[in-house]
Amino acid sequence: MMRVLFVCVENSNRSQMAEAFARMYGSGVLESASAGPHPAGSISQRAIAAMGELGYDLTTHRSKGLPEVDRAAWDYVITMGCGDACPNIAASRRQNWELPDPTDLPDEEFRKVRDEIGRRVLELLEQVRASAGWN
């Protein structure tokens, strides 16, 4: 399995939803986790509701700081909107997904960010399968 870490500043919206999508779509292929340099301490109720609409229970997650996740090298580190706040984490491959912070967006825009994260996780999964020679 390939290890992927999703990082956003507060680890309460984007990175949590990305981790959820990786678990939904990447079972048996991706080992996923999420964290943030300044964790909020809780998962956004809006993220919980948005993922609940897709049948995923985000209440099983918790907001974590970067020191709480395994510091061994990751296969992929995906950062989302944290810029310089995201420290350099050891990884074979790094990507930065420029996604708006959905915290204050209207519900429809929040869902668009959620859906874009889901699309990008599927794209990442295809990259992982291709790089590993899995079809």
Side-chain angles (χ1 to χ4, degrees):
M1 289 211 314
M2 299 292 246
R3 300 177 69 231
V4 60
L5 175 64
F6 297 100
V7 183
C8 73
V9 176
E10 295 184 341
N11 189 229
S12 65
N13 279 305
R14 292 169 290 187
S15 56
Q16 289 288 341
M17 291 188 287
E19 179 183 358
F21 279 119
R23 290 178 182 212
M24 289 169 64
Y25 301 145
S27 179
V29 177
L30 297 176
E31 175 189 333
S32 63
S34 67
H38 306 291
S42 63
I43 308 301
S44 158
Q45 290 300 310
R46 294 181 73 204
I48 290 169
M51 292 308 293
E53 292 173 358
L54 302 179
Y56 189 91
D57 182 7
L58 205 55
T59 64
T60 63
H61 291 219
R62 68 178 188 81
S63 179
K64 298 172 293 304
L66 289 168
E68 296 177 72
V69 295
D70 185 1
R71 297 301 283 194
W74 294 85
D75 295 303
Y76 290 84
V77 169
I78 311 295
T79 57
M80 292 175 253
C82 52
D84 291 339
C86 285
N88 190 8
I89 300 164
S92 301
R93 296 166 194 89
R94 300 179 63 79
Q95 294 180 13
N96 182 50
W97 294 352
E98 288 296 329
L99 295 164
D101 182 349
T103 300
D104 296 321
L105 295 177
D107 289 343
E108 189 56 37
E109 294 299 311
F110 192 100
R111 285 185 190 98
K112 285 181 183 177
V113 172
R114 174 203 63 194
D115 294 346
E116 179 62 14
I117 291 169
R119 185 192 71 74
R120 291 185 189 201
V121 168
L122 285 171
E123 189 176 89
L124 174 66
L125 187 55
E126 289 306 312
Q127 290 173 17
V128 167
R129 285 184 171 131
S131 71
W134 302 331
N135 292 323

